[in-house]
Amino acid sequence: MKRASGVLMHISSLWGDYSIGSFGKEAIEFVDFLSQCGFSYWQVLPFSMIDECNSPYKSYSAFGGNPYFVDLPTLRDEGLLTFEETESARQQTPYSCEYVRLYHTRVDLLRLAAMRADAGLKNKISEFMAENPYLAQFAEFMALKSSNNEKCWIDWTNQTPDAETLYVWQFIQYKFYEQWSKIKNYANSKGIRIIGDIPIYVSYDSADVWGNKELFQLYADGTPSSVAGVPPDYFAADGQLWGNPLYNWDAMAKDGYAWWVARMENMFKLFDGVRIDHFRAIESYWSVDAKETTARNGKWVKGPGKSFVDRINEIKGDKLIIAEDLGMITNEVTELVNYSGFPGMRVLQFGFLDDGDNPHKPHNYPNNSVAYTGTHDNNTLLGYVWELGDSARASLMEYCGHSGDWNCGYDSIVRTIYASNAGLVILPIQDLLGYGSDTRLNIPGKADGNWQFRITRSQLGEINTEKYKRLNFIYKR
C-alpha cells in the first residue's frame, strides 16, 4: 500500500444546526480541513438507518440511507422547505445527536419537502428507483411498516403500502444519494478518498430479510433458527448476542452471491473503499440458537470462504477493501485475509494490554494493513491511556520513546503509529482533538448512551492543521 493517513468520523458527528450531522456545507468544510492537514482518507460508519439503540449496525436495509443525513438547508435552497420549517428543526444542543427528536419529527419534515417536488423531480425519482431495485424494495418495506403500525414484517396484516408514504421514502432515498454524491465528488476533487463501512449482518426486521427470505437461516414460518453474535472476549464476558439472522450461504452461493454482489456494487458507488465489518465470519461465524439469551452457548460454523472472496475480487476494480479481522482470529482466518489481498486492521490500543508481543504493536504492522489508534468501539486514545494500569502505561510510554510525565506523552504515541510500516493510518476525530473517554462513540454491549458524540466548528478549529500536515510530510503519508 502507498503510505497515507486519514480520519475516522461518522457523518452524525459533524457540526451543524439540526440535531445531527448531514450532507451539507459542514461536510464540505470537513473535507477542506482534511486537505489542509495533508490527510488522504475520510472513513465513515454505515450510512444505513439506525436501530432502537441508535446503532447503524442493525438496520432496516443494507441499501437504504439514513434519512437524518439529508441536509435541510439544501432542501430549503431548492424551494422544498420554508425558512420557518427549517427554523423549527433547530437543535437544542450542538454537542450530541438528538435522536428522540429526530425520530419523532424528521421524516414528517422530509414529507413536506417531498410533497413540493415538481414533475421533473418526480420523474428523476422514478428513474432512480428503476435503476436501484433494492432501494425500491426498501421504500416499499418502510411504507408497509407504516401501514402496519411499525410492527415487524412477520406480524403484518396489511400488505398494501400507502402510495404517498411509498413516494416519500423514494424521495428521501433519491435526495440522500443525490446530496452524498456531491460531497463525494468534492472530496475526490480535493484528493480525499472516502471509506465506507459494511455491517456483516442485517436486521431481522429489514427489507433484506423480508424480500429475500430464502437467503437467511429461517424456519418455515419465517422466524430465525440461528442468530449472530460473538463469543466471550475482551469487550464482553458473555460474548455479544447481536441477534441478527444468519445468512444461508449455500443458497447465496447458488446464484453467485448475487445479493452480496449488488450490495458491494452499491457501496462502490457511494465510496472509494469499504471496510467489511467482522470479516472473520466469512471464514467461520458464531452461530447461536435463536432461543438463547446470551452468546455464550454458540458454536463456530464454516462460512463461504474463498469462493465468496473470489466473487468480490471479480467486481472490486480499484476500490479499497479493508478486512476487519479483529477478535478471535485463527490461522484459518489469517489465511483467508492473506488470500483475499485485502489489508487487515491493527489497533494500537490492543497492543499494550500486557507486556507480551502481539500483532497490534506497531513494529509488527505489515504494509498491507490499516492501523488505528482506536476504532469506533474503542475508548479514545486519551481515555485508554488514562485507564491503563501503571505497568502497561509505563510500557506504552517506553515503547513510544517518552520519558517523564505520561500526561505529556500523547504526541509520542501518535508519532509511533505514524512511523509504523502500516500502509494506511487512521485516527478517530476524538484523538485529533485529544479528548477523553466522555467523548467515546460506542461501548459494545451497552444498550444506551452510544452514538451521541458531535463536534462543533469551533472545536475543529482548535486542531493544529500544520501539526498534522507536518506529520504527514515527515512520515511520507
Side-chain angles (χ1 to χ4, degrees):
M1 295 181 69
K2 181 181 177 181
R3 289 176 67 82
S5 64
V7 174
L8 169 62
M9 186 179 76
H10 196 30
I11 299 298
S12 62
S13 295
L14 280 167
W15 59 97
D17 298 323
Y18 302 98
S19 300
I20 196 169
S22 69
F23 298 154
K25 61 179 174 37
E26 295 83 7
I28 294 292
E29 293 170 1
F30 186 66
V31 168
D32 290 339
F33 162 80
L34 294 173
S35 178
Q36 291 163 10
C37 290
F39 291 116
S40 304
Y41 286 87
W42 176 7
Q43 183 169 344
V44 296
L45 300 180
F47 275 7
S48 47
M49 289 187 69
I50 57 177
D51 67 5
E52 65 276 6
C53 297
N54 305 321
S55 169
Y57 286 91
K58 193 177 179 183
S59 180
Y60 289 141
S61 172
F63 297 81
N66 187 342
Y68 301 160
F69 293 166
V70 175
D71 186 61
L72 300 184
T74 300
L75 297 180
R76 183 183 62 209
D77 293 345
E78 295 170 346
L80 297 173
L81 289 175
T82 67
F83 176 78
E84 290 75 18
E85 286 163 350
T86 55
E87 282 297 291
S88 72
R90 281 192 173 270
Q91 64 205 17
Q92 296 175 332
T93 175
Y95 298 110
S96 63
C97 297
E98 298 174 334
Y99 288 116
V100 174
R101 185 183 187 198
L102 288 164
Y103 177 81
H104 288 290
T105 63
R106 186 53 54 88
V107 172
D108 288 340
L109 187 57
L110 295 174
R111 180 183 291 268
L112 294 177
M115 293 301 103
R116 294 174 182 141
D118 60 22
L121 177 53
K122 289 180 178 177
N123 285 337
K124 290 179 180 178
I125 293 171
S126 295
E127 293 171 2
F128 181 71
M129 287 296 129
E131 295 167 357
N132 296 275
Y134 284 111
L135 280 179
Q137 186 181 75
F138 166 63
E140 182 181 4
F141 175 84
M142 294 304 294
L144 281 167
K145 273 192 77 69
S146 179
S147 297
N148 287 275
N149 298 314
E150 304 302 325
K151 292 180 181 178
C152 179
W153 62 264
I154 200 168
D155 296 320
W156 289 351
T157 55
N158 183 356
Q159 301 299 324
T160 304
D162 173 70
E164 180 179 297
T165 303
L166 175 61
Y167 159 69
V168 167
W169 279 101
Q170 292 173 342
F171 169 89
I172 290 171
Q173 293 308 301
Y174 177 82
K175 283 298 177 182
F176 178 98
Y177 278 73
E178 179 188 58
Q179 290 186 1
W180 173 247
S181 177
K182 292 177 181 178
I183 301 299
K184 179 182 179 296
N185 289 340
Y186 181 78
N188 291 166
S189 75
K190 299 285 285 188
I192 306 297
R193 301 180 71 195
I194 300 180
I195 301 171
D197 196 307
I198 300 180
I200 187 69
Y201 295 121
V202 298
S203 172
Y204 174 67
D205 189 17
S206 68
D208 309 297
V209 179
W210 166 73
N212 308 276
K213 300 179 187 66
E214 71 284 358
L215 301 181
F216 296 86
Q217 294 185 29
L218 309 176
Y219 289 120
D221 66 356
T223 58
S225 56
S226 299
V227 295
V230 290
D233 63 7
Y234 166 77
F235 286 121
D238 278 333
Q240 298 176 47
L241 184 63
W242 296 338
N244 310 73
L246 293 167
Y247 297 114
N248 182 341
W249 285 114
D250 290 339
M252 287 188 158
K254 289 178 181 177
D255 64 4
Y257 305 104
W259 181 86
W260 263 99
V261 167
R263 185 183 190 186
M264 296 297 293
E265 288 177 338
N266 181 64
M267 296 295 286
F268 292 155
K269 292 177 185 176
L270 288 168
F271 307 110
D272 303 296
V274 291
R275 185 193 81 125
I276 300 180
D277 182 55
H278 198 56
F279 184 84
R280 70 106 52 242
I282 305 302
E283 192 283 319
S284 292
Y285 56 89
W286 192 246
S287 175
V288 184
D289 188 289
K291 300 183 185 68
E292 293 283 346
T293 57
T294 75
R296 182 177 291 276
N297 295 322
K299 62 181 180 180
W300 290 110
V301 178
K302 281 293 181 183
K306 292 181 179 179
S307 65
F308 176 83
V309 167
D310 289 342
R311 188 71 185 94
I312 299 306
N313 269 324
E314 288 174 7
I315 63 169
K316 72 180 285 286
D318 62 352
K319 301 291 185 177
L320 172 67
I321 297 179
I322 301 170
E324 190 267 278
D325 54 350
L326 307 175
M328 298 184 69
I329 302 304
T330 63
N331 290 336
E332 290 82 1
V333 176
T334 300
E335 180 186 345
L336 184 64
V337 173
N338 291 338
Y339 175 83
S340 72
F342 308 153
M345 290 176 58
R346 299 294 183 268
V347 180
L348 183 141
Q349 291 190 26
F350 295 152
F352 298 91
L353 298 175
D354 55 45
D355 288 330
D357 196 17
N358 70 57
H360 296 285
K361 278 190 163 65
H363 66 270
N364 288 325
Y365 297 169
N367 171 258
N368 193 36
S369 68
V370 183
Y372 299 77
T373 47
T375 73
H376 65 276
D377 282 335
N378 288 104
N379 203 341
T380 66
L381 180 58
L382 182 62
Y384 164 80
V385 175
W386 178 271
E387 294 175 14
L388 272 179
D390 291 341
S391 176
R393 187 189 301 119
S395 294
L396 170 63
M397 291 302 163
E398 182 181 17
Y399 184 96
C400 297
H402 176 77
S403 58
D405 186 353
W406 67 265
N407 283 293
C408 302
Y410 194 89
D411 284 351
S412 297
I413 303 173
V414 174
R415 282 181 173 270
T416 298
I417 196 169
Y418 254 87
S420 75
N421 190 43
L424 177 57
V425 165
I426 300 285
L427 305 179
I429 188 67
Q430 294 97 318
D431 291 353
L432 267 69
L433 288 158
Y435 284 175
S437 58
D438 57 327
T439 64
R440 182 171 178 171
L441 189 61
N442 183 49
I443 300 176
K446 184 174 178 286
D448 56 359
N450 292 323
W451 314 105
Q452 303 277 346
F453 173 71
R454 292 179 73 193
I455 64 171
T456 64
R457 181 182 281 105
S458 62
Q459 287 172 335
L460 188 79
E462 295 170 2
I463 297 174
N464 185 341
T465 56
E466 288 301 316
K467 168 185 171 180
Y468 287 98
K469 185 175 182 180
R470 188 63 184 168
L471 281 173
N472 285 316
F473 172 77
I474 291 172
Y475 296 106
K476 309 308 175 190
R477 295 194 180 278

